[in-house]
């Protein structure tokens, strides 16, 4: 069983919709990362969290250390948000399988 | 604008050939990671260096892969001999001191195809 589980695996939304991606992990961690990867592209770190909540533009990430769970929310989604979103935990990074998000205009 | 630089960006090679991928971490970062991404396995850690010393290379096939940091500005990942199953995207990432509260930065990746 993977240390990091993401859901859903795939997600399609209409432009403007609110999107939530979930990540659960089974090991104790000091930090959790949310990463974004566009098709054929590199990987960008969106957030690094160790507690609470962070917001950047239309993106919000939350983490509950006790429940070993994190969520990434995209408000007012836009087609340019279409990408793979990857949850990764720990200092060396153990990765979830990724969530492929498609936002239709 | 600080970034992690990887070369080559794309490489097609024949089975059995040696492949060397290079990475220039962000200046001042003391931690360097090598990851491999495939459709089947997703992203996996291959090797991890701190202050140029290898701390974890358990994810790396030892018989054909080797990773080094000859100096603080260069990390290398070598495959010899290469095999078709090594076809993947290889990412280098660098990060600052552990628990500094800062994130890590990925290079654009080296896309390797072994035929």
């Amino acid at each position: 069983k993977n240390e990091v589980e993401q859901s859903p695996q795939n997600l399609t939304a209409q432009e403007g919709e609110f999107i939530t991606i979930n990540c659960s992990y089974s090991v104790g961690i000091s930090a959790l990362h949310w990463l974004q990867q566009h098709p054929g592209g590199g990987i960008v770190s969106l957030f690094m969290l160790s507690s609470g909540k962070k917001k950047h533009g239309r993106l919000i990430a939350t983490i509950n250390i006790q429940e070993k769970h994190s969520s990434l929310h995209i408000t007012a989604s836009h087609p340019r948000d279409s990408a793979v979103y990857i949850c990764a935990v720990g200092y060396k990074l153990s990765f979830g399988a990724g969530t492929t998000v498609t936002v239709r205009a | 604008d600080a970034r992690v630089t990887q070369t080559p960006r794309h490489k097609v090679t024949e089975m059995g050939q040696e492949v060397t991928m290079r990475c220039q971490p962000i200046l001042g970062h003391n931690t360097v990671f090598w990851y491999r991404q495939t459709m089947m396995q997703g992203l996996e850690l291959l090797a991890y260096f701190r202050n140029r010393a290898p701390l974890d290379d358990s994810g790396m096939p030892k018989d054909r892969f080797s990773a080094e940091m000859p100096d603080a500005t260069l990390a290398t990942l070598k495959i010899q001999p290469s095999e078709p199953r090594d076809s993947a995207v290889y990412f280098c990432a660098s990060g600052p001191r552990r628990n500094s509260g800062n994130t890590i930065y990925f290079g654009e990746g080296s896309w390797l195809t072994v035929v």
Side-chain angles (χ1 to χ4, degrees), chain B residues 54-81:
Chain B
L55 293 190
D56 185 351
D57 61 1
S58 58
M60 208 163 62
K62 301 292 191 303
D63 56 338
R64 299 182 301 106
F65 283 60
S66 62
E68 296 179 343
M69 279 200 75
D71 63 60
T73 64
L74 177 64
T76 62
L77 179 67
K78 188 176 296 186
I79 309 173
Q80 167 64 18

Side-chain angles (χ1 to χ4, degrees), chain A residues 11-21 58-60 62 71-78 81 101 103:
Chain A
L11 185 159
T12 299
Q14 285 297 124
E15 183 174 358
E17 287 185 343
F18 184 85
I19 290 171
T20 295
I21 303 167
R58 295 179 294 103
L59 300 177
I60 303 168
T62 63
S71 293
L72 177 68
H73 307 285
I74 306 175
T75 63
S77 60
H78 190 277
D81 298 325
V101 171
V103 182

